[in-house]
Amino acid sequence: MKKINLIVCGAAGKMGSLIVKLALKDDEFFIKGGIEAKGHSLVGKELNEVKIYDNLENMLEKNDVVVDFTVPSATMVFLEIVKDKKGKIVIGTTGFEKEQIEKIKEIAKEIPVFLSPNMSLGVNLFFEIIKYATRILKNYEIEIKEIHHHFKKDSPSGTAKKIAEIICNERKLKIDEILKYGRRGIMGERKFEEIGIHSLRIGDIVGEHYVYFGGTGEIIEISHRCYNRESFALGALSAVKYIYKKEKGLYGMEDFIKEEVMNV
């Protein structure tokens, strides 16, 4: 069986190192190496039996799959290299600006790109539940809360933004006009279409997301709590296997669930 050549960007990070560790146990992968920033203390050394480099361009060949869990600025550089080398890429990085998302979409017209703010299968099934709940609870107000460890750099989380996007799509609302990022001062009464997003950063919590549907005299709470990062890493490796079969286009966990889980 032909193995999938895999390169992990951000290989020394929490997610990257776990992806490497799990990929080493999977016979479908051959890990060509990990990538870290120039000057990183592990460049030139091995981590979890994998050599760490600082130059993706020198390693990458056609049809190799790159997994990226870094920062947006680095991801955009990696994307250009993957495009030029005709590779494939799975992006788990979050915190992109609108212009960067548009650039990702443009590049996906030439190569396969898998982009998801959350690689967990459970979280993405959670998205489907939120979509269904929003559809049937038409007269309920909605608020979103997310909690992460104090090391997380972006806020709100990419997953919370995705939840807000799903809700706005179902209710045909303009996301930039109705989101409220926390509240302070005299803001007046809450408008029905308003959606509040509240971010907590505390301790070592891997990730928790809550969506509240408020009606007259009742609140419905739908939540997802993650206790370790393994679900994200396993989801990322599933995305690698999925994208390896694609020629070009922009894909996400919703596509993976429909094709590989639900067989739609």
Side-chain angles (χ1 to χ4, degrees):
M1 181 180 68
K2 184 178 179 181
K3 294 194 175 189
I4 299 171
N5 287 338
L6 185 65
I7 300 171
V8 180
C9 294
K14 290 183 175 67
M15 277 302 303
S17 59
L18 183 55
I19 288 169
V20 168
K21 183 179 178 181
L22 294 176
L24 286 169
K25 298 177 182 178
D26 192 324
D27 291 337
E28 290 190 51
F29 297 113
F30 170 71
I31 305 179
K32 293 182 73 174
I35 298 293
E36 274 298 341
K38 292 184 186 298
H40 193 284
S41 61
L42 287 173
V43 171
K45 301 177 182 177
E46 286 193 356
L47 179 65
N48 295 325
E49 304 175 27
V50 172
K51 187 76 173 287
I52 305 298
Y53 302 87
D54 62 7
N55 191 312
L56 176 62
E57 190 170 11
N58 290 346
M59 295 177 60
L60 189 64
E61 296 178 292
K62 185 177 180 180
N63 290 324
D64 289 350
V65 183
V66 171
V67 176
D68 173 66
F69 278 82
T70 56
V71 295
S73 57
T75 300
M76 301 313 294
V77 174
F78 296 143
L79 263 170
E80 292 289 350
I81 295 171
V82 175
K83 182 190 74 171
D84 292 343
K85 294 281 188 172
K86 295 182 173 22
K88 306 165 193 267
I89 187 167
V90 171
I91 302 172
T93 301
T94 60
F96 292 106
E97 300 292 338
K98 285 183 180 179
E99 295 78 11
Q100 292 172 320
I101 293 292
E102 291 305 313
K103 183 64 176 177
I104 291 171
K105 290 178 180 178
E106 281 298 312
I107 289 177
K109 294 176 182 179
E110 301 183 46
I111 61 169
V113 176
F114 192 105
L115 173 67
S116 178
N118 194 310
M119 295 289 177
S120 162
L121 177 61
V123 164
N124 285 276
L125 291 172
F126 175 64
F127 290 155
E128 294 299 315
I129 294 168
I130 296 303
K131 185 184 297 184
Y132 177 72
T134 303
R135 197 173 296 158
I136 62 174
L137 299 173
K138 293 183 175 64
N139 297 319
Y140 285 64
E141 299 168 337
I142 303 176
E143 297 275 312
I144 302 165
K145 180 177 73 175
E146 55 98 352
I147 313 175
H148 284 83
H149 52 86
H150 55 242
F151 296 107
K152 186 168 178 61
K153 295 180 176 64
D154 58 314
S155 177
S157 67
T159 301
K161 290 179 181 178
K162 179 67 176 179
I163 292 168
E165 181 184 318
I166 289 168
I167 293 166
C168 288
N169 286 342
E170 288 299 320
R171 291 197 167 176
K172 295 179 172 53
L173 300 170
K174 293 182 178 180
I175 194 166
D176 294 333
E177 296 179 3
I178 55 87
L179 291 187
K180 299 293 182 183
Y181 298 96
R183 295 182 178 87
R184 181 183 179 186
I186 307 300
M187 300 184 66
E189 292 185 5
R190 183 193 195 280
K191 297 178 181 178
F192 172 76
E193 64 273 14
E194 180 180 303
I195 299 173
I197 297 187
H198 312 279
S199 299
L200 284 70
R201 296 290 176 266
I202 189 167
D204 59 355
I205 294 173
V206 174
E208 299 183 6
H209 292 85
Y210 302 83
V211 182
Y212 303 94
F213 293 85
T216 302
E218 65 179 0
I219 291 177
I220 299 170
E221 175 189 319
I222 304 175
S223 65
H224 179 277
R225 291 180 289 277
C226 186
Y227 298 104
N228 62 58
R229 292 178 175 80
E230 195 159 315
S231 62
F232 305 135
L234 289 171
L237 291 175
S238 294
V240 170
K241 295 175 184 179
Y242 174 82
I243 203 77
Y244 186 68
K245 298 179 286 186
K246 304 297 182 182
E247 293 302 319
K248 61 183 176 180
L250 182 64
Y251 304 91
M253 284 300 291
E254 184 176 355
D255 302 297
F256 172 79
I257 287 171
K258 286 180 179 178
E259 293 183 36
E260 302 292 328
V261 180
M262 300 172 67
N263 296 315
V264 176

